[in-house]
Amino acid sequence: MLGWAILMPIGAMVARYMRQWDPIWFYSHIAVQSFAFVLGLSGVICGLVLENRLNVSVDKHKTLGIVILVLGCLQVIALLGRPDKASKVRKYWNWYHFGVGRALIFLAAVNVFYGIHLGGAGSGWNAGFAVALVVLFVIALILELRICLRK
């Protein structure tokens, strides 16, 4: 939950909004995303171990988690192959990177809600996670409006 659904959006927001003020913020998103990826990978491994130990069937949740992990790996690979800003293909790389990143964040949030449901954690967990997502969305909206007003 923390890695894929909270830290990944924060890392994306750092990359999108903070680079305009200080380049060091832009590069710090790599650290946040790396930490999020490691936490997310740990979560996937723990989930696979728990599934075997508890002898439960969570096929949809597991499949979605693996898809999210693959998308995360593709993002890491994409960073290694990022073309220079002057390159003609940089525009397409940006489309790919932004698209896969947004899909990853959306699917992670969906999978967290589904995991809360499967775990029978109750409406308190759903509400808490929803509040966290709304707070992140409002912050992103404010920062996006700030960019639009500057132009």
Side-chain angles (χ1 to χ4, degrees), residues 38-50:
V38 169
L39 282 178
L41 178 61
S42 301
V44 169
I45 292 168
C46 288
L48 293 172
V49 169
L50 276 174

Side-chain angles (χ1 to χ4, degrees), residues 29-45:
H29 98 280
I30 294 172
V32 173
Q33 300 289 46
S34 299
F35 185 59
F37 182 80
V38 169
L39 282 178
L41 178 61
S42 301
V44 169
I45 292 168

